[in-house]
Amino acid sequence: MLVFTRKLNEAIIIGDGIEIRVLRVGDGSVRIGVTAPGDVKVHRQEIYQLISAANASAATTEHATVERAAERLRSRLSITNAG
Amino acid sequence: MQPELSIETRFGSYPADHGSVVTVADGLPGFECCRRFVVVTGPTLQPFNCLQGLDESRPSFLTLDPRSAVAGYAMELPAADRERLEVVDGDALLWLALVRLDGDRILVNLRAPVVINARRMIGVQLITPESPYSTEHVLSLD
């Protein structure tokens, strides 16, 4: 890992056109500004990990349980449509 | 008339047309190496769809349109994702919430739906910093 010391309003540049700037240093937190091209996705790590974990557990759904769930859902939807 | 493909999923085999491959440029979180998907369904699967990956581990995701699953579901498409999907006015967008089954419970990820622009066959999974929706919304069948 590359480690930098940055002062307020100083930045680092990564590759072509990605800039990470220190905007505010507070008590226990740092406010960071990221400038990046539109095709570069920037996410908070914990959000990305939350979605990643949800995707991983969704991918384990077993065939055996699916058709019954689909049937229950179809009967609910037909009741909703009729009502 | 293009010949049909038979797509193997965790939930059985389903037909798909050639040309029905959706590209997700960055993959889905946790499945970044899988970039190509098809969306298939069949009589025993409906109203679910299967979002089937064609690369790497070939993940199968059971999905449901969040707008039909939950009354009043409204998630705005962020501008950056709209751009990624190359959306122009009038494009039909397919919304797919990933589903997990836990015993009798149907858990729907309303927070991070996959959105597909059918005209361009491009998809993205919406990853927003904040959302009123859960990754494990319990679908009420009452």
Side-chain angles (χ1 to χ4, degrees):
Chain A
M1 190 195 293
L2 274 171
V3 179
F4 299 89
T5 300
R6 300 281 68 197
K7 296 195 174 95
L8 192 64
N9 292 323
E10 288 183 342
I12 61 168
I13 303 285
I14 300 173
D16 274 343
I18 300 175
E19 182 194 276
I20 298 172
R21 187 172 295 275
V22 178
L23 299 177
R24 193 177 68 216
V25 181
D27 189 15
S29 70
V30 178
R31 193 164 176 84
I32 290 170
V34 179
T35 308
D39 61 337
V40 175
K41 292 187 180 181
V42 180
H43 301 296
R44 287 158 181 77
Q45 184 184 40
E46 67 277 16
I47 306 287
Y48 194 88
Q49 285 172 342
L50 173 79
I51 309 299
S52 185
N55 286 349
S57 62
T60 65
T61 294
E62 293 292 343
H63 186 191
T65 57
V66 169
E67 289 182 10
R68 192 176 123 68
E71 198 179 320
R72 287 164 67 210
L73 211 48
R74 279 196 300 272
S75 66
R76 189 200 75 155
L77 293 173
S78 65
I79 292 164
T80 308
N81 292 342
Chain B
M1 184 86 179
Q2 290 178 312
E4 281 191 346
L5 299 168
S6 179
I7 302 293
E8 295 290 326
T9 80
R10 273 175 86 88
F11 320 122
S13 296
Y14 298 95
D17 294 329
H18 282 286
S20 60
V21 176
V22 176
T23 302
V24 180
D26 297 308
L28 310 184
F31 298 87
E32 290 81 359
C33 293
C34 184
R35 305 291 172 90
R36 297 179 306 139
F37 291 87
V38 285
V39 181
V40 294
T41 192
T44 58
L45 209 55
Q46 281 168 356
F48 294 121
N49 286 304
C50 173
L51 177 67
Q52 175 61 43
L54 301 178
D55 302 320
E56 288 284 318
S57 60
R58 299 177 65 93
S60 297
F61 297 103
L62 195 66
T63 71
L64 192 60
D65 185 335
R67 297 164 303 178
S68 69
V70 178
Y73 179 83
M75 186 161 165
E76 201 167 319
L77 191 60
D81 291 304
R82 196 180 159 83
E83 203 165 299
R84 280 187 195 103
L85 289 169
E86 301 177 18
V87 176
V88 297
D89 288 344
D91 276 349
L93 300 180
L94 190 62
W95 289 69
L96 303 172
L98 273 50
V99 171
R100 180 164 79 86
L101 301 178
D102 177 30
D104 269 352
R105 297 195 309 159
I106 301 175
L107 305 173
V108 189
N109 181 350
L110 296 179
R111 195 190 195 295
V114 172
V115 183
I116 293 170
N117 182 353
R119 182 180 61 84
R120 298 286 297 121
M121 298 304 274
I122 301 171
V124 295
Q125 187 168 20
L126 303 189
I127 305 166
T128 51
E130 279 164 23
S131 169
Y133 296 112
S134 162
T135 57
E136 294 198 324
H137 173 86
V138 181
L139 199 62
S140 165
L141 290 177
D142 299 332

